[in-house]
Amino acid sequence: MKSIDHPYFGHLEAPSADETEVIWEGAASLGSSKVEAWLWAGPDSGLDVGELDAFATHLAHLPALDTAARAAIRENLRQDRYFIDHHADELDDAEVIRRLTREANGEAISADAFTAAMHPVRIGLWHLTGEAKARIVMDYTIDAETSDELLAVKMADDGTVASVDWES
Protein backbone atom coordinates (compact mmCIF):
# COMPACT_ATOMS: atom_id res chain seq x y z
CA MET A 1 0.00 0.00 0.00
CA LYS A 2 1.33 3.44 -0.93
CA SER A 3 1.25 6.13 1.73
CA ILE A 4 2.39 9.69 2.23
CA ASP A 5 2.38 12.36 4.93
CA HIS A 6 1.15 15.65 3.50
CA PRO A 7 1.20 19.02 5.32
CA TYR A 8 -2.45 19.78 4.49
CA PHE A 9 -4.09 16.36 4.27
CA GLY A 10 -2.03 14.52 6.88
CA HIS A 11 -1.27 10.82 6.55
CA LEU A 12 -2.80 9.37 3.38
CA GLU A 13 -2.88 5.81 2.13
CA ALA A 14 -3.78 4.84 -1.41
CA PRO A 15 -6.50 2.20 -1.64
CA SER A 16 -5.18 -1.34 -1.91
CA ALA A 17 -8.28 -2.73 -3.61
CA ASP A 18 -9.19 -2.28 -7.26
CA GLU A 19 -11.65 0.50 -6.38
CA THR A 20 -11.45 4.25 -6.07
CA GLU A 21 -12.05 5.34 -2.48
CA VAL A 22 -12.23 8.44 -0.30
CA ILE A 23 -8.85 8.69 1.44
CA TRP A 24 -9.45 12.01 3.23
CA GLU A 25 -12.50 13.91 4.46
CA GLY A 26 -12.48 17.45 5.72
CA ALA A 27 -14.00 20.87 5.20
CA ALA A 28 -12.98 24.06 3.46
CA SER A 29 -14.06 27.60 4.31
CA LEU A 30 -16.14 29.65 1.95
CA GLY A 31 -17.01 32.93 3.62
CA SER A 32 -18.64 32.07 6.91
CA SER A 33 -19.65 28.60 5.70
CA LYS A 34 -17.85 25.29 5.65
CA VAL A 35 -18.05 23.02 2.62
CA GLU A 36 -17.48 19.29 2.95
CA ALA A 37 -14.45 18.07 0.98
CA TRP A 38 -13.48 14.55 -0.04
CA LEU A 39 -10.20 13.41 -1.56
CA TRP A 40 -10.66 10.38 -3.80
CA ALA A 41 -7.82 8.13 -4.98
CA GLY A 42 -7.44 4.96 -6.99
CA PRO A 43 -5.09 2.09 -6.18
CA ASP A 44 -2.64 3.26 -8.84
CA SER A 45 -2.78 6.97 -7.97
CA GLY A 46 0.78 7.17 -6.71
CA LEU A 47 -0.17 9.95 -4.26
CA ASP A 48 1.60 12.70 -6.19
CA VAL A 49 2.80 15.48 -3.86
CA GLY A 50 2.48 18.15 -6.55
CA GLU A 51 -1.15 17.33 -7.21
CA LEU A 52 -1.94 17.11 -3.50
CA ASP A 53 -0.31 20.54 -3.04
CA ALA A 54 -2.47 21.92 -5.86
CA PHE A 55 -5.62 20.51 -4.23
CA ALA A 56 -4.61 22.06 -0.89
CA THR A 57 -4.11 25.42 -2.60
CA HIS A 58 -7.55 25.18 -4.24
CA LEU A 59 -9.17 24.43 -0.88
CA ALA A 60 -7.30 27.31 0.76
CA HIS A 61 -8.51 29.64 -2.01
CA LEU A 62 -12.02 28.25 -2.39
CA PRO A 63 -13.64 31.61 -3.27
CA ALA A 64 -11.80 31.60 -6.62
CA LEU A 65 -13.18 28.13 -7.48
CA ASP A 66 -16.64 29.21 -6.32
CA THR A 67 -16.53 32.28 -8.58
CA ALA A 68 -15.60 30.16 -11.61
CA ALA A 69 -18.23 27.54 -10.76
CA ARG A 70 -20.98 30.14 -10.33
CA ALA A 71 -20.12 31.79 -13.64
CA ALA A 72 -20.46 28.40 -15.35
CA ILE A 73 -23.73 27.64 -13.54
CA ARG A 74 -25.15 31.06 -14.47
CA GLU A 75 -24.28 30.57 -18.15
CA ASN A 76 -25.68 27.02 -18.10
CA LEU A 77 -28.97 28.21 -16.57
CA ARG A 78 -29.24 31.12 -19.03
CA GLN A 79 -28.99 28.65 -21.90
CA ASP A 80 -31.36 26.08 -20.36
CA ARG A 81 -33.88 27.12 -17.70
CA TYR A 82 -35.23 23.63 -17.05
CA PHE A 83 -33.31 23.21 -13.74
CA ILE A 84 -34.77 26.51 -12.47
CA ASP A 85 -38.30 25.79 -13.71
CA HIS A 86 -38.22 22.26 -12.31
CA HIS A 87 -37.27 23.54 -8.86
CA ALA A 88 -39.79 26.40 -8.99
CA ASP A 89 -42.54 23.86 -9.74
CA GLU A 90 -41.42 21.03 -7.44
CA LEU A 91 -40.18 23.06 -4.46
CA ASP A 92 -42.74 25.87 -4.41
CA ASP A 93 -43.11 25.42 -0.61
CA ALA A 94 -39.39 25.81 0.05
CA GLU A 95 -38.49 29.19 1.57
CA VAL A 96 -35.74 29.88 -0.95
CA ILE A 97 -38.11 29.33 -3.89
CA ARG A 98 -40.83 31.45 -2.26
CA ARG A 99 -38.29 34.25 -1.75
CA LEU A 100 -36.97 34.02 -5.32
CA THR A 101 -40.53 34.02 -6.67
CA ARG A 102 -41.43 37.11 -4.60
CA GLU A 103 -38.28 38.91 -5.74
CA ALA A 104 -39.06 38.05 -9.39
CA ASN A 105 -42.26 40.09 -8.95
CA GLY A 106 -44.40 38.13 -11.40
CA GLU A 107 -41.58 37.35 -13.80
CA ALA A 108 -39.68 34.07 -14.10
CA ILE A 109 -36.90 33.53 -11.58
CA SER A 110 -33.73 34.78 -13.24
CA ALA A 111 -30.64 32.66 -13.76
CA ASP A 112 -28.64 35.28 -11.84
CA ALA A 113 -30.93 35.17 -8.79
CA PHE A 114 -31.13 31.38 -8.82
CA THR A 115 -27.35 31.03 -9.13
CA ALA A 116 -26.79 33.46 -6.26
CA ALA A 117 -29.16 31.42 -4.07
CA MET A 118 -27.36 28.13 -4.73
CA HIS A 119 -24.64 26.96 -2.37
CA PRO A 120 -21.92 24.33 -2.55
CA VAL A 121 -22.48 21.26 -0.40
CA ARG A 122 -19.50 19.13 -1.34
CA ILE A 123 -16.19 19.24 -3.14
CA GLY A 124 -14.69 16.11 -4.62
CA LEU A 125 -10.96 16.09 -5.36
CA TRP A 126 -10.08 13.28 -7.75
CA HIS A 127 -6.48 12.07 -7.50
CA LEU A 128 -6.53 9.50 -10.30
CA THR A 129 -3.78 8.34 -12.61
CA GLY A 130 -4.51 9.03 -16.27
CA GLU A 131 -7.57 11.17 -15.63
CA ALA A 132 -7.06 14.70 -16.89
CA LYS A 133 -10.53 16.19 -17.38
CA ALA A 134 -12.42 16.55 -14.10
CA ARG A 135 -10.12 16.62 -11.11
CA ILE A 136 -12.35 18.87 -8.98
CA VAL A 137 -16.13 18.50 -8.69
CA MET A 138 -18.16 21.08 -6.78
CA ASP A 139 -21.76 20.06 -6.02
CA TYR A 140 -24.27 22.95 -5.72
CA THR A 141 -27.85 22.81 -4.50
CA ILE A 142 -30.67 25.29 -4.11
CA ASP A 143 -32.00 23.63 -0.93
CA ALA A 144 -30.32 20.53 0.50
CA GLU A 145 -33.18 19.89 2.94
CA THR A 146 -35.87 19.54 0.28
CA SER A 147 -34.01 18.39 -2.83
CA ASP A 148 -31.26 15.91 -3.62
CA GLU A 149 -30.80 17.44 -7.08
CA LEU A 150 -27.44 19.08 -7.74
CA LEU A 151 -25.52 20.92 -10.36
CA ALA A 152 -22.08 19.33 -10.39
CA VAL A 153 -19.45 21.71 -11.70
CA LYS A 154 -16.54 19.65 -12.99
CA MET A 155 -13.17 21.38 -13.27
CA ALA A 156 -9.71 20.57 -14.52
CA ASP A 157 -6.86 20.72 -12.02
CA ASP A 158 -6.17 24.33 -13.05
CA GLY A 159 -9.73 25.36 -12.12
CA THR A 160 -11.01 25.57 -15.69
CA VAL A 161 -14.64 24.42 -15.89
CA ALA A 162 -15.09 21.29 -18.01
CA SER A 163 -18.85 20.86 -17.57
CA VAL A 164 -21.96 21.56 -15.50
CA ASP A 165 -24.08 18.44 -15.01
CA TRP A 166 -27.46 17.92 -13.35
CA GLU A 167 -27.14 15.05 -10.87
CA SER A 168 -29.08 13.61 -7.97
Side-chain angles (χ1 to χ4, degrees):
M1 179 176 294
K2 299 171 189 170
S3 67
I4 191 172
D5 289 313
H6 188 269
Y8 186 93
F9 297 107
H11 184 74
L12 300 173
E13 293 188 15
S16 59
D18 291 334
E19 295 184 27
T20 299
E21 297 177 8
V22 174
I23 62 169
W24 177 86
E25 293 180 45
S29 295
L30 184 59
S32 61
S33 300
K34 294 284 186 185
V35 181
E36 183 178 319
W38 295 351
L39 175 61
W40 293 82
D44 299 322
S45 66
L47 298 175
D48 179 79
V49 173
E51 188 168 87
L52 294 171
D53 289 346
F55 285 152
T57 299
H58 283 306
L59 291 177
H61 298 96
L62 193 53
L65 282 183
D66 181 59
T67 298
R70 286 180 186 279
I73 289 171
R74 187 176 302 105
E75 183 58 30
N76 180 274
L77 295 176
R78 285 180 180 163
Q79 291 182 21
D80 183 356
R81 293 190 44 83
Y82 188 67
F83 190 83
I84 298 171
D85 296 340
H86 169 78
H87 282 80
D89 291 342
E90 296 295 319
L91 302 178
D92 59 346
D93 288 339
E95 177 54 37
V96 66
I97 297 298
R98 288 196 312 256
R99 178 180 57 79
L100 290 171
T101 301
R102 273 192 317 272
E103 291 172 357
N105 199 27
E107 300 292 323
I109 297 169
S110 73
D112 291 348
F114 196 87
T115 300
M118 295 187 79
H119 57 278
V121 291
R122 184 173 31 262
I123 301 165
L125 306 169
W126 295 84
H127 186 60
L128 303 172
T129 302
E131 296 287 327
K133 285 190 179 175
R135 296 287 194 169
I136 303 164
V137 180
M138 295 183 69
D139 292 335
Y140 285 79
T141 184
I142 191 68
D143 187 342
E145 292 183 21
T146 58
S147 176
D148 66 350
E149 311 225 5
L150 307 166
L151 288 180
V153 181
K154 298 174 182 174
M155 303 174 164
D157 58 358
D158 66 356
T160 303
V161 174
S163 68
V164 177
D165 300 304
W166 184 347
E167 298 180 358
S168 62

